[in-house]
């Protein structure tokens, strides 16, 4: 059974706080690691697709790192804003299909 | 450019009925994949179609089936509905498969009574 674990399950932060989440995945048969952001009543939207060990990607205030040897990825949000409130999903591509974690639900309070 | 369109958005069925959901991908995208989300579960992979061929299938019973047409539009069908099939069904399109960035529709929410 291939498990993708995300922690924490939920997070409440104040506007301006920086925060980070973890995605753990099997370290074998790795092809890629995806991060998606899913706002309520909208569709999931891709943030990053990462393929190389040591990859670091950045989009505005959001960045992600990847460690394929130990099987984890971190997503960082710097200076959280209320519009960052969403569920953040990671998905592990094991060369066969995408396996999604259950997500980290972030709420940012003004 | 138009996004991924799923229809219907909401539907209610009773046990034993069957349902067909439709997905129109972004123009030029040849891969369509389907996912099921139930409360407390991550998105569960159902199947992926590319150029009218099913390339991969998840661990779902044979009651779940799908197809893709020559214009890349895809349908999924669930026969003999069970209460546990109540879920949000999402489809996603991409240029060449689930390896690249997926573009999701807003989903079809199915309730089985």
């Amino acid at each position: 059974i291939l498990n993708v674990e995300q922690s924490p399950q939920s997070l409440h932060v104040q506007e301006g706080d920086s925060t980070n989440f973890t995605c753990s995945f099997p370290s074998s048969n790795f092809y890629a690691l995806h991060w998606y952001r899913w706002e309520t009543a909208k569709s999931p939207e891709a943030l990053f697709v990462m393929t190389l060990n040591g990859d670091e990607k950045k989009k505005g205030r959001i960045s992600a790192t990847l460690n394929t040897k130990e099987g984890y990825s971190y997503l960082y949000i710097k200076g959280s804003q209320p519009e960052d409130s969403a569920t953040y999903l990671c998905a592990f591509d094991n060369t066969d299909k995408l396996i999604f974690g259950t997500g980290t639900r972030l709420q940012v309070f003004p | 450019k138009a996004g991924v369109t799923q229809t219907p958005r909401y539907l209610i069925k009773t046990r034993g009925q069957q349902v067909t959901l439709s997905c129109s991908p972004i123009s030029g995208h040849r891969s369509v994949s389907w996912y099921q989300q139930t409360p407390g579960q991550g998105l569960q992979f159902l199947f992926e179609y590319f150029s009218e061929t099913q390339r991969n299938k998840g661990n779902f019973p044979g009651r779940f089936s799908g197809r893709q047409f020559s214009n890349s539009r895809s349908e999924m069908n669930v026969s003999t509905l069970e209460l546990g099939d109540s879920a949000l069904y999402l489809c996603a399109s991409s240029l060449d498969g689930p390896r690249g960035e997926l573009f999701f529709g807003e989903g079809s929410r199915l309730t089985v009574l």
Side-chain angles (χ1 to χ4, degrees), chain B residues 5-45:
Chain B
T5 304
Q6 290 189 245
T7 57
R9 294 288 315 282
Y10 302 91
L11 64 166
I12 300 173
K13 294 283 187 178
T14 55
R15 276 182 299 177
Q17 287 188 310
Q18 65 113 27
V19 67
T20 299
L21 308 177
S22 178
C23 174
S24 293
I26 289 172
S27 177
H29 285 190
R30 292 194 292 166
S31 169
V32 174
S33 47
W34 289 88
Y35 296 85
Q36 181 199 62
Q37 194 203 31
T38 50
Q41 297 284 319
L43 297 179
Q44 303 290 314
F45 173 73

Side-chain angles (χ1 to χ4, degrees), chain A residues 6 15 44 47 70:
Chain A
Q6 290 191 247
E15 182 176 355
L47 288 170
E70 295 181 42

Side-chain angles (χ1 to χ4, degrees), chain A residues 31-32 34 36 38 41-46 49 59 89 93-103, chain B residues 9 35 37 40-45 56-59 88 90 98-107:
Chain A
Y31 186 87
H34 296 222
Y36 290 86
W38 194 358
K42 295 189 177 178
S43 27
E45 185 183 305
V49 179
K59 187 183 283 192
L89 299 172
D93 183 342
N94 70 340
T95 74
D96 189 30
K97 61 189 176 198
L98 276 184
I99 302 163
F100 280 84
T102 51
Chain B
R9 294 288 315 282
Y35 296 85
Q37 194 203 31
Q41 297 284 319
L43 297 179
Q44 303 290 314
F45 173 73
N56 219 331
K57 191 176 191 312
N59 296 327
L88 179 69
L90 286 168
R99 275 48 205 306
E101 181 179 333
L102 297 183
F103 293 82
F104 283 89
E106 291 183 305

Side-chain angles (χ1 to χ4, degrees), chain B residues 42-90:
Chain B
L43 297 179
Q44 303 290 314
F45 173 73
L46 281 154
F47 23 67
E48 188 238 341
Y49 288 88
F50 184 85
S51 293
E52 302 179 66
T53 301
Q54 186 183 85
R55 288 206 294 198
N56 219 331
K57 191 176 191 312
N59 296 327
F60 279 82
R63 299 184 297 106
F64 291 79
S65 63
R67 58 180 175 166
Q68 187 180 33
F69 303 95
S70 58
N71 62 358
S72 292
R73 189 178 73 85
S74 177
E75 288 181 348
M76 67 164 279
N77 184 278
V78 188
S79 61
T80 319
L81 284 165
E82 300 177 358
L83 295 179
D85 297 332
S86 295
L88 179 69
Y89 291 89
L90 286 168

Side-chain angles (χ1 to χ4, degrees), chain A residues 9 15 31 35 48 50 91:
Chain A
Q9 273 191 320
E15 182 176 355
Y31 186 87
W35 281 100
F48 308 112
M50 308 171 79

